Amino acid sequence: MKNKDNYNYLLADLSKLDGVGKKTVQILKKKKINNIFDLLWRLPKSYTDRTIITDINNLQIGKIQTLKLIPLKYQFPRIRNLPNKVKCRDNTGEIDCIFFNSYEGYVRKILPLNKEVTISGKITFYKNRYQITNPTYLSEDSSLIQKIENKYSLTEGITEKTYNKIINQILKNLPILNEWHDKEILKKFNNESWNNSIIKLHDPDNIQNYEAGFYKRLVYDEILAFFLVNSEIRKKIKKIKKLSKKFSEETQKKIINKLDFDLTNDQKKSLKDINKDLNSKSKMFRLLQGDVGSGKTIVSLLSALNVINSGFQVAFMAPTEILARQHFNLAKRLFPKNISIELLSSKSESYDKKRIIQNLKDSKINILFGTHAIFQKKIIFGKLGYIIIDEQHKFGVRQRKLLSDKGGDNCDVLLMSATPIPRTLTMSIYGDMDLSIIKEKPSNRKEVKTYSKLENKLDDVIKFVKKELKEGNQIFWVCPLIEESKKIDHQSSINKFKFLNKIFPNEVALIHGKIKNDEKEVILNKFLNKEFSILVSTTIIEVGIDFPNANVIIIENANKFGLSQLHQLRGRVGRGTKEASCILMFKSNLSNDAKKRINILKESNDGFKISEADMKLRGFGDLLGFKQSGIKNFKLADPIQNEDLFLLAEKQIKQIEYENKDIGKYKALLKLYDQADIINDMV
Ligand code: ADP
Ligand code: MG
């Protein structure tokens, strides 16, 4: 097995392992462990040292311990199903060995009377006596007991013993791989080879040794493999030759002059990035990242105009119909009259839909707004040149690649995300894309004043609401779901609606998850048109709708949310010219930790800062549903803990790209770590 570069062993099916039957394979496959390589990343959590002999009077109940015992007396009950029992002693006390489903002969053989044996097992205490049930480690010769056994977080149905046997077998057969790292890189990791690192990873002495060279090397391997894949995807997309889109400063200026504000520097810079890409001869695949309210929409629309003027069509996809409509209306208002703008809505009459579908095919429509429905099979664009996707962090790398392919060679892609996340995380989620960031907020934005209030101070809050309503302002009142179980609990929002409706008759409306989309949209539109002033909701308003007149948001049970989520919710207000406030309500006094978290929110309106702090406190998995979405499931790497290694890998990738280095020497690395073979045909 010790062939050079024989990584095939690692990619082999689990059934290749000795002593691994069909059942075990099935259990492991359920856990997404499909081959030998996958098994390497279940790390020992702790280990049992079976070499230390404990006296009976020092036993710890519930622990696995090793004892030297002398069997004194057998008790073999005549009734079936009762266990066989052996009374034993050492110099300090007595203990019973209990055997279920065993034969007398077996028990007599392994525990002969009056001879010292060493046994090991979990200690229990029953009817005032110590017991060991079915001890697995028995020997007259204590040196035969396996010295140290790793404890893995076990998969149901596989014993610790089996698991250790499997891992030990793999470690014994571990192939020696050719080094893929450069010398200088390797030096940073104590020159640990991959093989050695894996062996050390499973050495009980190294449990949680996260700072050691071998550990960091393995983390770095993983990051680098991931970045290499992304780099190859980027390269591949860039290689696609497309017709370049014309760029006219003039047309753009005309639109900008219509706006009642100036673009921020970051908006200008992003627009320039995008225009340059559109204008180039290679396909654009770009992420526009900017905090809520940073003004991404206008940037995307301005860039779309160039594409239209170059004779191409634009598809603009929003996550909800109301948002699609809002973008559609903005385009109608800003774009010259000769541009044909359409909205494909689930509510469009069927003849209207037919007309839109036909006109799209005939390239008579210049820009189409809609939800994901605009990418249905039956919707065919005559000359699609640009896809814009708003508020979309729910796409994984592969889905994005599909989307980019779908548009065809001449189609540029812009993704917009309102989730400000630290750079290492952006790299992990959107590493296949080029990046433009809008950090700066429009200058007319007022900081949203943020307060925390205990729930029993509701009267104060109502007073505040009355005052705001008098001034003609609108209010969001958020009641999160109490239980996020299958039985969805809207009760708190319904109760609050009833309560508020008594105080402010005809001024309150309610939306929650059970309300149908159509109805929801009607309500939101009425709110936009100021037909009522208080909107009670669960968290549906999180998505990027612009309500310039709403300037107060009240969030109940605020501790139900992460900081980033609270920040996003807060971002719903403060977009108009008026002073805006956010009131966070809590059920009981805050712990010091919770206070610290809330203070971060009160002191900063910078989404990037907040998400960084939030992630340090809660880990990134929790953040805005990234776990289920695009986030890469790293085996060891952690975008927060291993920031330095992410940055190092980024630097190395830039170097590789810049020097146009051959990545052939990373073949084994890529084969092992990118098993979906996304770049199979590239290396
Ligand atoms: P987001 O980045 O969250 O999608 P939007 O594009 O919806 O933000 O913009 C939010 C609001 O800010 C809109 O009403 C928009 O007209 C306004 N806006 C955009 N850019 C500027 C700017 N430079 N100055 C002032 N207001 C702006
Ligand atoms: Mg938006």
Side-chain angles (χ1 to χ4, degrees):
M1 225 10 111
K2 303 246 165 187
N3 289 340
K4 284 229 154 189
D5 231 15
N6 194 356
Y7 54 80
N8 285 332
Y9 171 75
L10 294 166
L11 294 177
D13 199 79
L14 297 169
S15 56
K16 285 263 157 64
L17 291 164
D18 290 338
V20 173
K22 269 201 185 123
K23 211 172 133 204
T24 310
V25 170
Q26 256 174 12
I27 293 170
L28 289 170
K29 285 214 162 139
K30 256 195 210 139
K31 295 271 164 184
K32 295 210 166 117
I33 296 179
N34 292 310
N35 57 28
I36 295 178
F37 182 79
D38 291 342
L39 265 171
L40 294 174
W41 310 103
R42 316 211 84 204
L43 301 187
K45 294 260 182 284
S46 62
Y47 59 89
T48 318
D49 187 344
R50 297 195 191 254
T51 54
I52 298 170
I53 306 286
T54 309
D55 291 337
I56 289 177
N57 67 357
N58 282 324
L59 285 179
Q60 281 178 282
I61 294 162
K63 288 238 159 107
I64 290 178
Q65 310 214 290
T66 304
L67 307 149
K68 272 192 179 161
L69 297 177
I70 296 176
L72 295 177
K73 193 177 161 206
Y74 300 126
Q75 281 180 15
F76 297 130
R78 292 295 143 220
I79 304 164
R80 267 175 51 148
N81 294 334
L82 280 186
N84 290 323
K85 204 193 263 183
V86 185
K87 269 192 173 175
C88 305
R89 68 156 181 86
D90 68 3
N91 292 331
T92 67
E94 288 196 1
I95 189 165
D96 296 337
C97 293
I98 311 286
F99 293 86
F100 284 94
N101 306 319
S102 58
Y103 295 105
E104 261 184 57
Y106 169 75
V107 175
R108 280 181 203 279
K109 195 174 144 209
I110 57 171
L111 293 180
L113 292 183
N114 301 318
K115 269 196 185 159
E116 185 174 80
V117 290
T118 307
I119 67 163
S120 181
K122 195 171 172 178
I123 309 298
T124 52
F125 197 66
Y126 181 71
K127 287 195 176 160
N128 263 331
R129 288 183 67 82
Y130 288 112
Q131 291 190 340
I132 292 190
T133 306
N134 294 342
T136 36
Y137 289 86
L138 297 136
S139 169
E140 284 175 69
D141 176 3
S142 63
S143 71
L144 285 181
I145 287 186
Q146 191 187 356
K147 279 170 61 185
I148 290 171
E149 193 172 62
N150 276 332
K151 271 191 172 166
Y152 293 87
S153 68
L154 280 182
T155 309
E156 216 179 309
I158 300 178
T159 65
E160 217 160 88
K161 210 170 169 181
T162 311
Y163 209 84
N164 271 278
K165 244 164 81 184
I166 297 175
I167 293 290
N168 288 335
Q169 184 186 153
I170 298 174
L171 294 183
K172 221 169 74 198
N173 292 322
L174 211 60
I176 292 171
L177 305 179
N178 282 332
E179 184 55 64
W180 46 73
H181 287 305
D182 298 338
K183 280 204 179 92
E184 311 86 75
I185 294 283
L186 209 56
K187 238 190 261 163
K188 294 180 198 286
F189 307 119
N190 283 347
N191 294 314
E192 297 273 17
S193 72
W194 187 83
N195 314 64
N196 265 338
S197 301
I198 291 290
I199 288 165
K200 286 192 176 168
L201 189 67
H202 287 269
D203 182 338
D205 282 345
N206 282 324
I207 286 172
Q208 296 186 346
N209 200 353
Y210 301 134
E211 293 305 312
F214 80 88
Y215 192 86
K216 291 207 158 179
R217 186 232 145 94
L218 292 172
V219 170
Y220 191 69
D221 280 340
E222 188 178 19
I223 300 170
L224 191 70
F226 181 59
F227 280 17
L228 274 170
V229 171
N230 285 333
S231 163
E232 287 304 299
I233 295 177
R234 274 201 307 269
K235 256 193 247 166
K236 206 173 179 181
I237 290 172
K238 288 244 165 68
K239 265 194 206 137
I240 300 173
K241 287 283 162 258
K242 68 155 204 246
L243 294 170
S244 83
K245 278 123 196 167
K246 281 192 309 232
F247 173 70
S248 153
E249 189 97 30
E250 202 89 338
T251 346
Q252 200 162 289
K253 266 224 179 92
K254 268 191 207 152
I255 307 291
I256 294 176
N257 286 341
K258 276 197 198 172
L259 301 172
D260 48 11
F261 51 76
D262 293 327
L263 293 183
T264 63
N265 287 328
D266 281 356
Q267 281 175 314
K268 285 182 197 157
K269 165 88 177 47
S270 305
L271 186 58
K272 220 170 140 189
D273 289 346
I274 297 168
N275 283 336
K276 200 173 151 213
D277 282 0
L278 293 172
N279 194 224
S280 82
K281 286 206 166 63
S282 41
K283 185 170 174 137
M284 171 169 84
F285 199 46
R286 186 172 280 280
L287 174 73
L288 177 59
Q289 191 184 26
D291 205 348
V292 275
S294 60
K296 295 181 290 294
T297 320
I298 187 68
V299 171
S300 65
L301 286 180
L302 284 168
S303 67
L305 199 63
N306 287 315
V307 176
I308 295 168
N309 285 333
S310 307
F312 288 98
Q313 291 171 298
V314 179
F316 198 125
M317 175 173 132
T320 61
E321 292 225 1
I322 186 160
L323 207 56
R325 186 179 297 276
Q326 195 163 50
H327 294 335
F328 165 76
N329 287 335
L330 183 61
K332 279 251 177 200
R333 194 154 62 80
L334 291 179
F335 284 177
K337 292 285 163 283
N338 61 337
I339 290 180
S340 151
I341 307 167
E342 290 286 354
L343 175 74
L344 189 72
S345 145
S346 62
K347 276 190 305 244
S348 313
E349 301 292 337
S350 71
Y351 66 84
D352 226 17
K353 273 186 196 159
K354 269 193 197 134
R355 178 185 57 84
I356 290 177
I357 290 174
Q358 190 56 46
N359 285 346
L360 263 183
K361 222 189 236 167
D362 299 343
S363 306
K364 282 185 189 149
I365 293 171
N366 298 121
I367 179 166
L368 179 71
F369 291 86
T371 60
H372 58 277
I374 64 174
F375 290 117
Q376 294 167 79
K377 260 211 186 106
K378 62 174 182 200
I379 311 263
I380 298 158
F381 290 79
K383 207 180 169 197
L384 186 60
Y386 193 16
I387 297 174
I388 301 170
I389 298 168
D390 189 18
E391 305 279 5
Q392 196 49 268
H393 59 261
K394 298 276 186 288
F395 279 160
V397 176
R398 283 170 182 86
Q399 283 166 299
R400 283 203 291 273
K401 175 129 196 329
L402 279 179
L403 191 76
S404 150
D405 292 346
K406 190 177 172 128
D409 287 359
N410 277 322
C411 188
D412 292 296
V413 179
L414 182 72
L415 225 73
M416 298 197 279
S417 160
T419 318
I421 45 175
R423 246 165 69 77
T424 55
L425 207 56
T426 304
M427 288 189 255
S428 310
I429 300 172
Y430 302 106
D432 53 331
M433 311 190 78
D434 291 317
L435 182 62
S436 293
I437 302 181
I438 306 182
K439 279 216 160 147
E440 191 185 1
K441 291 257 172 82
S443 58
N444 62 358
R445 288 282 184 287
K446 301 223 167 53
E447 301 264 299
V448 181
K449 289 224 169 97
T450 303
Y451 310 91
S452 41
K453 275 263 172 219
L454 281 182
E455 227 173 56
N456 57 20
K457 292 278 165 59
L458 187 62
D459 286 353
D460 293 357
V461 178
I462 296 291
K463 244 185 241 157
F464 180 77
V465 169
K466 275 184 183 154
K467 190 191 94 211
E468 291 290 324
L469 293 194
K470 235 184 220 154
E471 290 171 19
N473 298 331
Q474 286 178 293
I475 289 160
F476 289 115
W477 197 300
V478 182
C479 305
L481 299 177
I482 298 172
E483 301 243 353
E484 295 188 41
S485 64
K486 273 182 204 152
K487 206 183 91 216
I488 299 168
D489 191 350
H490 304 294
Q491 208 46 50
S492 71
S493 62
I494 294 169
N495 289 347
K496 193 58 65 177
F497 167 77
K498 285 182 184 157
F499 171 82
L500 289 170
N501 201 39
K502 265 187 207 144
I503 308 177
F504 307 102
N506 301 321
E507 288 292 349
V508 196
L510 168 69
I511 46 173
H512 56 59
K514 275 249 172 80
I515 291 177
K516 294 224 170 62
N517 277 342
D518 289 5
E519 220 174 308
K520 231 181 259 171
E521 197 166 329
V522 171
I523 295 171
L524 287 173
N525 270 325
K526 280 188 179 166
F527 191 58
L528 257 179
N529 297 331
K530 303 182 203 172
E531 287 175 38
F532 58 89
S533 359
I534 303 175
L535 180 65
V536 178
S537 76
T538 48
T539 51
I540 325 170
I541 49 162
E542 219 181 301
V543 178
I545 315 162
D546 209 16
F547 294 96
N549 194 53
N551 67 329
V552 177
I553 185 163
I554 295 160
I555 305 172
E556 291 194 25
N557 267 320
N559 50 318
K560 284 250 158 200
F561 299 102
L563 289 188
S564 299
Q565 237 177 331
L566 288 174
H567 174 67
Q568 289 237 325
L569 283 169
R570 177 172 71 174
R572 297 292 119 230
V573 299
R575 292 183 171 206
T577 44
K578 291 174 185 166
E579 181 106 333
S581 20
C582 167
I583 302 175
L584 305 171
M585 299 193 64
F586 297 91
K587 270 204 176 349
S588 56
N589 276 322
L590 293 173
S591 69
N592 276 340
D593 253 16
K595 266 185 202 151
K596 250 192 237 158
R597 279 166 29 103
I598 296 305
N599 277 339
I600 297 172
L601 205 64
K602 284 183 183 171
E603 280 160 17
S604 175
N605 258 303
D606 178 340
F608 286 93
K609 257 194 208 156
I610 290 168
S611 75
E612 196 152 322
D614 199 16
M615 253 177 289
K616 283 192 174 136
L617 289 166
R618 310 194 338 154
F620 63 83
D622 241 4
L623 193 81
L624 297 167
F626 266 111
K627 209 160 218 165
Q628 313 86 292
S629 62
I631 183 85
K632 162 101 178 139
N633 264 331
F634 288 111
K635 299 172 200 308
L636 302 182
D638 182 323
I640 301 161
Q641 304 300 328
N642 304 119
E643 191 181 2
D644 53 334
L645 299 180
F646 275 84
L647 297 177
L648 180 63
E650 190 192 31
K651 215 169 113 195
Q652 207 195 336
I653 290 289
K654 278 203 178 128
Q655 191 71 20
I656 291 173
E657 286 179 358
Y658 180 72
E659 291 172 16
N660 205 5
K661 273 194 195 160
D662 176 30
I663 62 164
K665 71 170 182 162
Y666 297 107
K667 186 174 172 187
L669 174 75
L670 291 169
K671 283 277 179 198
L672 292 174
Y673 285 86
D674 182 54
Q675 292 167 25
D677 278 341
I678 197 164
I679 60 164
N680 203 14
D681 44 325
M682 298 182 195
V683 194

